[in-house]
Amino acid sequence: MFSSGYTFSFSSEPRNHQRKMGTTTLFSRDSSFASQGVVIGQCLSQGHSEEWATIRIEKGVKKPQPQMLKIPAANGIIERDETPMEKEIAGLHRMEFRFSDIFYFCRKGFEAIVEDEVTQRFSSEELVSWNLLTRTNVNFHYVSLRLTVVWVIGVMVRYCFLLPLRFTLAAIGITSMIVGTTVVGQLPNGSLKNYLSEVVHLTCSRILVRALSGTIHYHNKENKPQKGGICVANHTSPIDAIILTNDGCYAMVGQVHGGLMGVIQRATVKACPHVWFERSEIKDRHLVTKRLREHVADKNKLPILIFPEGTCINNTSVMMFKKGSFEIGGTIYPVAIKYDPQFGDAFWNSSKYNIVSYLLRIMTSWAIVCHVWYMPPMVRKEGEDAVQFANRVRSAIARQGGLTELPWDGGLKRAKVKDSFKEEQQKNYSKMLVRNGSQGNLPAGTESD
């Protein structure tokens, strides 16, 4: 047995008979190498070892080594066929239903049971290699004593040195923001107040980013959101807002909270025109839209920062954008945010961890590394509705950030799938049968539109 994959078995007959007959049994793993195997077998049977070596060298030089296709590793454990229903179900150019049609829906159902493309977006992204964080290696197995020692040292560094230092910086940043915005809020409205408010917000945001050991790379700064506009971005973590305010000031939009978050909201709104809603008001779409339109109409106010997905996604995809943000009008400034999970997982699984546990996980990571791309402003085209505009912006963000674009609602993170999705598939299938049936009933010599 040779390393090239050929198996030779020589007859036990005399050597001179082998020289005449060249009896060689060759088993090749690739039929394309058959001619090469025959030549090599003949050379061996004739005793020309030098000639055999020469041929092997020449073949190795002349024949280029096959290159592996650089196919990105699949995120899932199954390979999906994205063929539309019309092409998947063969032989639909007829009126009647065929029992074999159900196999298409059965296969789609099995795929969803084994691994659907929605719920996996609500869990942490799987890493190719371990980054010495226990939470990123669920299937941890003992490898070696040396690696275990390195991991223990890393735990001591992160919890005994980095965590206290980061906690101190976070306390300084939060305290400075509360005190600074409260003092600035006492000043009369004017250019001085706006300037000091921006200084306080930028300074405190940068302190908080340092508390996370954040390394942020901003691209295309010429496209930064301008006053009177709306900044929309994909949503991965509560720190998305800090990541963006580290490079500019925005007017936040959200619900009024209690506790420490409520104290920060009440202090910052005095110095900056944030838009906070009460729990009873957030359900009133008309009231929310009215207040946002009033804010956008004032070109002297800071751009609004909105995350249209409405929930945190694990930074591998972009899910459906709510259309409300695109019904306001004005200029949309898309922003794509992409974190590097090798140094720390920024995704917040709110259904599994509360905000305190999440912040502890973030502050005990190695670092928070991410890229932010400012994209050219986009406006709503003539004849384009809010849903189409939202999908166009989402597609642009997904392409720029290298994210997967999914049409599903992020609300599926906590809610059940609506019956309308199942009914939509039923309607599509019935339309195919009706359409093909009407085509089959056309008189000879005529064509449908």
Side-chain angles (χ1 to χ4, degrees):
M1 176 70 69
F2 292 87
S3 60
S4 59
Y6 303 108
T7 303
F8 300 91
S9 61
F10 298 96
S11 174
S12 59
E13 297 181 10
R15 184 178 181 86
N16 58 356
H17 182 69
Q18 289 185 8
R19 291 178 180 177
K20 294 180 181 180
M21 302 300 296
T23 305
T24 304
T25 304
L26 174 66
F27 297 93
S28 174
R29 286 186 297 195
D30 192 342
S31 60
S32 62
F33 295 148
S35 60
Q36 179 182 355
V38 173
V39 174
I40 295 175
Q42 292 176 352
C43 291
L44 285 174
S45 63
Q46 294 174 4
H48 301 299
S49 59
E50 296 86 355
E51 186 177 352
W52 171 79
T54 304
I55 293 177
R56 287 292 294 171
I57 294 175
E58 292 178 352
K59 292 291 183 180
V61 173
K62 295 179 180 180
K63 185 176 180 60
Q65 295 295 330
Q67 297 181 356
M68 298 298 294
L69 295 177
K70 296 182 178 180
I71 302 176
N75 293 328
I77 61 177
I78 59 176
E79 183 178 356
R80 300 179 183 274
D81 187 2
E82 303 297 338
T83 306
M85 183 190 302
E86 292 84 351
K87 296 182 179 180
E88 181 75 13
I89 304 178
L92 275 181
H93 296 290
R94 30 76 179 174
M95 295 175 54
E96 72 281 0
F97 162 79
R98 291 186 180 178
F99 189 76
S100 60
D101 294 347
I102 68 173
F103 290 108
Y104 169 81
F105 300 100
C106 290
R107 183 170 61 81
K108 291 296 183 182
F110 291 148
E111 289 180 355
I113 293 173
V114 173
E115 182 187 35
D116 67 277
E117 60 182 4
V118 178
T119 55
Q120 62 177 326
R121 311 298 175 177
F122 304 137
S123 59
S124 297
E125 179 182 0
E126 296 183 2
L127 301 181
V128 178
S129 59
W130 187 31
N131 59 0
L132 297 180
L133 297 177
T134 306
R135 53 183 170 271
T136 56
N137 190 17
V138 179
N139 299 321
F140 174 76
H141 297 283
Y142 176 81
V143 178
S144 65
L145 177 62
R146 181 181 302 177
L147 185 60
T148 303
V149 171
V150 173
W151 175 77
V152 171
I153 295 175
V155 171
M156 296 178 62
V157 170
R158 290 187 288 111
Y159 282 86
C160 299
F161 176 71
L162 293 179
L163 179 59
L165 179 61
R166 291 170 177 173
F167 181 81
T168 303
L169 288 175
I172 294 174
I174 294 175
T175 304
S176 301
M177 179 171 291
I178 295 175
V179 175
T181 52
T182 301
V183 173
V184 174
Q186 305 303 320
L187 299 176
N189 294 331
S191 58
L192 178 61
K193 180 180 180 179
N194 295 336
Y195 171 75
L196 294 177
S197 175
E198 293 184 6
V199 170
V200 171
H201 279 83
L202 285 174
T203 303
C204 296
S205 297
R206 289 169 181 174
I207 294 176
L208 294 176
V209 170
R210 300 300 183 273
L212 301 174
S213 298
T215 302
I216 312 170
H217 305 277
Y218 298 96
H219 308 275
N220 306 326
K221 287 191 174 185
E222 65 275 8
N223 297 325
K224 288 178 61 175
Q226 303 297 320
K227 293 183 176 181
I230 302 174
C231 175
V232 297
N234 57 302
H235 198 24
T236 304
S237 163
I239 66 174
D240 291 340
I242 301 176
I243 296 297
L244 293 178
T245 54
N246 181 70
D247 193 47
C249 293
Y250 298 89
M252 305 294 176
V253 178
Q255 180 180 318
V256 176
H257 295 275
L260 178 60
M261 183 62 68
V263 174
I264 297 175
Q265 287 180 325
R266 289 190 294 271
T268 54
V269 76
K270 296 178 181 178
C272 184
H274 299 297
V275 184
W276 306 126
F277 295 97
E278 297 291 342
R279 184 178 296 272
S280 58
E281 297 177 339
I282 199 68
K283 296 181 180 179
D284 190 347
R285 289 186 55 192
H286 298 287
L287 177 61
V288 173
T289 303
K290 179 182 178 182
R291 291 187 58 182
L292 294 179
R293 282 177 177 171
E294 292 175 353
H295 184 102
V296 173
D298 190 349
K299 300 303 180 182
N300 295 321
K301 290 186 177 181
L302 295 175
I304 297 177
L305 177 59
I306 299 178
F307 301 102
E309 288 172 297
T311 188
C312 295
I313 313 298
N314 68 354
N315 209 224
T316 61
S317 62
V318 181
M319 302 191 77
M320 185 182 73
F321 280 5
K322 303 293 191 302
K323 66 176 182 178
S325 306
F326 303 89
E327 293 176 334
I328 303 172
T331 304
I332 299 293
Y333 294 88
V335 176
I337 305 175
K338 179 64 177 178
Y339 291 90
D340 188 347
Q342 290 295 333
F343 300 93
D345 185 15
F347 168 63
W348 181 32
N349 188 352
S350 56
S351 60
K352 187 176 181 180
Y353 303 102
N354 56 34
I355 187 64
V356 177
S357 300
Y358 168 74
L359 292 177
L360 179 62
R361 292 164 62 88
I362 286 294
M363 299 182 72
T364 55
S365 299
W366 295 112
I368 297 298
V369 180
C370 74
H371 293 264
V372 177
W373 288 274
Y374 298 111
M375 305 173 63
M378 303 176 67
V379 295
R380 190 168 168 178
K381 296 180 180 179
E382 185 178 356
E384 186 179 41
D385 58 21
V387 175
Q388 294 172 340
F389 186 28
N391 293 336
R392 184 160 59 91
V393 174
R394 182 190 63 184
S395 300
I397 292 177
R399 287 193 302 269
Q400 181 64 73
L403 306 172
T404 303
E405 183 180 1
L406 297 177
W408 299 99
D409 186 1
L412 294 174
K413 186 176 186 178
R414 297 179 179 85
K416 295 182 179 180
V417 179
K418 298 179 180 179
D419 293 336
S420 58
F421 291 110
K422 179 176 65 176
E423 295 172 356
E424 183 180 357
Q425 294 295 325
Q426 295 173 346
K427 290 179 180 179
N428 291 337
Y429 179 67
S430 62
K431 287 179 181 179
M432 290 164 52
L433 293 179
V434 173
R435 181 175 64 252
N436 294 325
S438 62
Q439 291 177 355
N441 293 330
L442 289 176
T446 62
E447 296 181 357
S448 60
D449 294 335

